[in-house]
Amino acid sequence: MKSAFTLFCTLIYFFANGQEIKGYIKNHESSEMDLVLMLFGMDNPIPIGTVQKNGQFTVNLENVSLENISVESKSMYIGDLYFNFFFSCGDYNAFGENYNKQAVRQDFIRMTSKGEWSGSVFLVSDENLRPWLEDPGYNNAVKGSFYEVIYLEDDANVKMECTNEVYITDEDKVETTYKFDLDLKKGFNWVQYTIEEVQDTDPNIRASFPSKVTISNLKDPSKMLWVGKYH
């Protein structure tokens, strides 16, 4: 991969439906590209917007069509909601009746050019979160937010708090807390992960990791930095 390009969204507008974001990607030194999701594999890209050569971009999750996705392809990737978050609870019962609603998450947005995967975009509030997202075992987490897309086949209201355990060594473990405050609609949704506390560790053993996180709907897209890597 070429060195990472940091894409700063200098002009961002978030419409009332919470689905469309427009902005300007500074230093987009490339050609026009499509922004796509690959929730159901690389052979099934789902267009959600474009990046123009001059850096202007638009993404919109409203009315995204899955008509070209086969039932077989969907069944290979879709699964229970409680499995489809970056952070998981220790007990699926914490999700109550929502635990097995069918969902699938997208970690980062792909960029394609003439149908070829040309790069990836990480959505973060702090550029220092990108290395951790790429390799959390060796790079330290920092306070801030990162953002993903999740697709659901039914509405789900997830309001609860749960804990999990993260092992530092075979003997030592730390309890982590995850607070879910989500109003998810059938279809595509933006999800915001806010890291409120980070557990410091011995870097010779493992990298520091989030110990307290709030998972919510996207609150303020003007705080999102679009950090891209090109192939």
Side-chain angles (χ1 to χ4, degrees):
M1 280 189 174
K2 296 179 181 179
S3 60
F5 287 86
T6 303
L7 312 181
F8 292 100
C9 302
T10 56
L11 296 173
I12 293 195
Y13 304 92
F14 196 53
F15 288 79
N17 60 23
Q19 298 294 325
E20 184 174 88
I21 299 176
K22 289 185 176 182
Y24 183 82
I25 299 177
K26 188 178 179 180
N27 299 329
H28 180 71
E29 300 173 0
S30 190
S31 61
E32 180 177 336
M33 292 185 180
D34 293 315
L35 296 172
V36 305
L37 306 176
M38 293 184 179
L39 292 160
F40 304 105
M42 292 181 63
D43 294 331
N44 297 296
I46 303 169
I48 61 169
T50 58
V51 180
Q52 304 299 323
K53 188 174 182 179
N54 65 0
Q56 293 180 340
F57 77 94
T58 301
V59 293
N60 195 334
L61 298 184
E62 189 175 24
N63 300 322
V64 174
S65 174
L66 297 182
E67 62 181 11
N68 295 324
I69 309 298
S70 68
V71 173
E72 181 182 7
S73 294
K74 287 180 68 176
S75 64
M76 289 177 60
Y77 293 91
I78 206 161
D80 293 345
L81 176 61
Y82 86 97
F83 272 133
N84 276 286
F85 292 101
F86 189 96
F87 301 98
S88 62
C89 296
D91 183 359
Y92 73 87
N93 288 313
F95 278 80
E97 62 182 10
N98 290 307
Y99 87 93
N100 64 349
K101 289 191 175 181
Q102 296 300 282
V104 59
R105 61 178 271 260
Q106 180 72 85
D107 46 6
F108 49 87
I109 295 173
R110 275 70 168 177
M111 291 181 286
T112 60
S113 178
K114 299 180 180 179
E116 297 293 325
W117 184 7
S118 301
S120 305
V121 183
F122 298 85
L123 305 182
V124 294
S125 66
D126 185 330
E127 191 180 347
N128 291 317
L129 278 168
R130 183 192 59 81
W132 171 75
L133 286 170
E134 290 189 287
D135 192 346
Y138 289 92
N139 297 309
N140 292 327
V142 298
K143 291 181 180 180
S145 297
F146 63 97
Y147 313 85
E148 294 186 345
V149 174
I150 190 169
Y151 168 80
L152 281 84
E153 294 202 329
D154 295 288
D155 294 351
N157 191 266
V158 185
K159 309 280 187 182
M160 58 88 178
E161 187 173 299
C162 68
T163 60
N164 205 350
E165 293 178 341
V166 175
Y167 280 84
I168 298 177
T169 66
D170 291 339
E171 294 80 24
D172 298 327
K173 58 186 178 182
V174 173
E175 186 173 88
T176 56
T177 302
Y178 308 129
K179 180 181 179 181
F180 290 79
D181 185 13
L182 288 160
D183 183 15
L184 301 171
K185 303 300 182 183
K186 179 180 178 179
F188 293 88
N189 300 259
W190 294 104
V191 174
Q192 177 172 329
Y193 297 85
T194 302
I195 300 172
E196 299 178 3
E197 294 181 6
V198 173
Q199 176 67 45
D200 292 329
T201 60
D202 181 344
N204 295 315
I205 298 176
R206 66 156 298 164
S208 300
F209 57 89
S211 56
K212 184 177 181 181
V213 182
T214 297
I215 301 96
S216 65
N217 295 84
L218 174 59
K219 296 183 181 301
D220 183 358
S222 68
K223 296 185 182 300
M224 296 168 70
L225 302 179
W226 290 53
V227 183
K229 259 192 168 181
Y230 295 88
H231 296 175

